[in-house]
Amino acid sequence: MTVLAVRDVKAAPTGARARQRRRITLLAVPGIAVLFVLVTLALTTGQMPLSASVALRGLVGLGDPGDVLVVQEFRAPRMTAAVIAGVGLGIAGSLLQRVFRNPLASPDVMGVTGGASFGAVVLLATGASQTLIPVAALGGGMLAALLLGVFGWRSGLTVTRLVLVGLAVQAGLAAAVNLMVVRFPAELASSALQWTTGSLYGRNWTEVWAAGGTMALALMAAFGLQRRLAVLDLGDESAGGLGLNTSASRLQLLVTAIVLASLAAALTGPVAFVALAVPHLVRFVAGPPTPGTLALTGLTGAILLLASDLIVQHLLPVSGLPVGVVTATLGAPWLLVLMIRQSRPVNRSAA
């Protein structure tokens, strides 16, 4: 009975749904083409330029051993990590904004990525194998979510309260990370430093497969929960009247979003802006949320993060900068604009 009710809720005018599907397709096709171009640039550009054909042969283990080493061990893992992390951050931000009905909700604002970085640095401090970084990042992300729930849940998660508590959690965990980096031995400090700003430098296939494999399961869960999320969009009272367990559904969605964001942070560190802005951009150009727009959000997140990493590597005059520098530069004004827009209705009602 509940499933039938949920299906009824998802029903929409056939013409409107068909138009939105066409719009999503028209956006997805050039988006895939742009991602393909960025992937090609990531594999062919650098201190040792390669042609596309040579890079492709090197990717499958053919050609000159030096070309194979450069492509397989350095460029391909970094490129793949950027794509995976971009998809995870974009979809995690979309889920959180819809669950909280809050345009400011994102893993970086709420402290989840900071918690994931904290977990990764703690693992490095213990000297454990770096293959366990995704597990440690996931534990740190869950810790940040727990802190956010303890300090913010009772207030009903209003916009201002959510942002303030999330920023406080993020700042506290970032301070803990910086303290551990300062106290690290010199040989560990450089490895841990990326977790303070976000970087794709030095990614390897072990980390990529560990985080990417788990993220694939989380992405399946995210798309599988879309029907419940569509009902939650109607409000708790309406969703409960349709037979949906709102608390359990919201918890499942929150855990899924935290897993996605934490695994992305396991590959990149605390990269800002992607999870916050990409869902807004997709809603603006593609319309109301659907499974199709969620997929488009993941694609856009991958494009944005990979493009930012290419800018860091090849366009900025200072070499060695982390990708978080570019995304944070874009993210700070975006967050300010969103907070101003969110506060305007309150100010008018007060007047």
Side-chain angles (χ1 to χ4, degrees):
M1 183 173 180
T2 301
V3 174
L4 293 176
V6 171
R7 287 178 178 171
D8 291 340
V9 170
K10 285 182 66 66
T14 305
R17 293 177 63 184
R19 285 193 297 272
Q20 187 178 26
R21 283 196 295 266
R22 285 195 297 269
R23 187 185 309 134
I24 292 171
T25 301
L26 290 174
L27 292 168
V29 171
I32 293 172
V34 170
L35 182 61
F36 178 78
V37 171
L38 293 175
V39 167
T40 303
L41 289 173
L43 295 177
T44 57
T45 55
Q47 293 184 351
M48 191 173 79
L50 302 173
S51 67
S53 60
V54 170
L56 180 60
R57 286 171 56 83
L59 186 62
V60 296
L62 301 176
D64 183 85
D67 297 338
V68 173
L69 177 65
V70 168
V71 174
Q72 286 192 347
E73 299 302 322
F74 297 103
R75 295 180 182 175
R78 180 167 182 160
M79 174 273 296
T80 307
V83 171
I84 292 173
V87 170
L89 288 172
I91 292 181
S94 177
L95 293 179
L96 289 175
Q97 288 172 13
R98 290 180 66 186
V99 168
F100 288 112
R101 304 186 190 95
N102 186 334
L104 297 175
S106 72
D108 40 306
V109 173
M110 296 171 61
V112 174
T113 53
S117 299
F118 174 78
V121 172
V122 168
L123 179 76
L124 291 174
T126 63
S129 172
Q130 294 193 20
T131 58
L132 297 175
I133 282 181
V135 178
L138 181 57
M142 292 295 182
L143 172 63
L146 178 62
L147 293 174
L148 182 68
V150 169
F151 294 111
W153 195 275
R154 293 180 181 177
S155 66
L157 292 174
T158 60
V159 173
T160 304
R161 179 76 170 186
L162 176 66
V163 172
L164 291 178
V165 173
L167 291 176
V169 170
Q170 183 86 350
L173 292 173
V177 169
N178 289 331
L179 178 62
M180 285 187 287
V181 169
V182 170
R183 296 183 61 86
F184 269 174
E187 61 271 14
L188 291 178
S190 59
S191 299
L193 189 59
Q194 65 172 303
W195 303 107
T196 63
T197 54
S199 174
L200 287 159
Y201 177 78
R203 297 282 67 81
N204 59 64
W205 285 117
T206 301
E207 297 170 340
V208 169
W209 287 119
T214 309
M215 187 177 290
L217 298 176
L219 288 173
M220 292 173 60
F223 282 94
L225 291 168
Q226 283 302 290
R227 188 166 291 167
R228 297 187 182 186
L229 185 54
V231 181
L232 284 175
D233 286 340
L234 300 175
D236 288 356
E237 184 175 347
S238 298
L242 290 170
L244 184 70
N245 187 330
T246 57
S247 297
S249 298
R250 183 172 286 107
L251 179 61
Q252 291 169 350
L253 288 160
L254 286 175
V255 170
T256 301
I258 291 169
V259 170
L260 288 171
S262 299
L263 292 173
L267 293 173
T268 65
V271 172
F273 174 70
V274 178
L276 178 66
V278 166
H280 291 278
L281 176 62
V282 172
R283 279 195 295 271
F284 178 75
V285 298
T290 65
T293 59
L294 188 67
L296 190 62
T297 300
L299 174 63
T300 307
I303 291 172
L304 177 59
L305 189 55
L306 183 55
S308 298
D309 191 47
L310 289 173
I311 290 172
V312 164
Q313 291 185 75
H314 307 301
L315 296 183
L316 295 183
V318 180
S319 62
L321 290 176
V323 68
V325 170
V326 174
T327 59
T329 301
L330 297 173
W334 184 270
L335 177 61
L336 180 61
V337 169
L338 284 178
M339 292 186 71
I340 292 174
R341 290 180 59 187
Q342 192 68 23
S343 65
R344 282 177 179 171
V346 176
N347 291 339
R348 279 197 294 266
S349 63

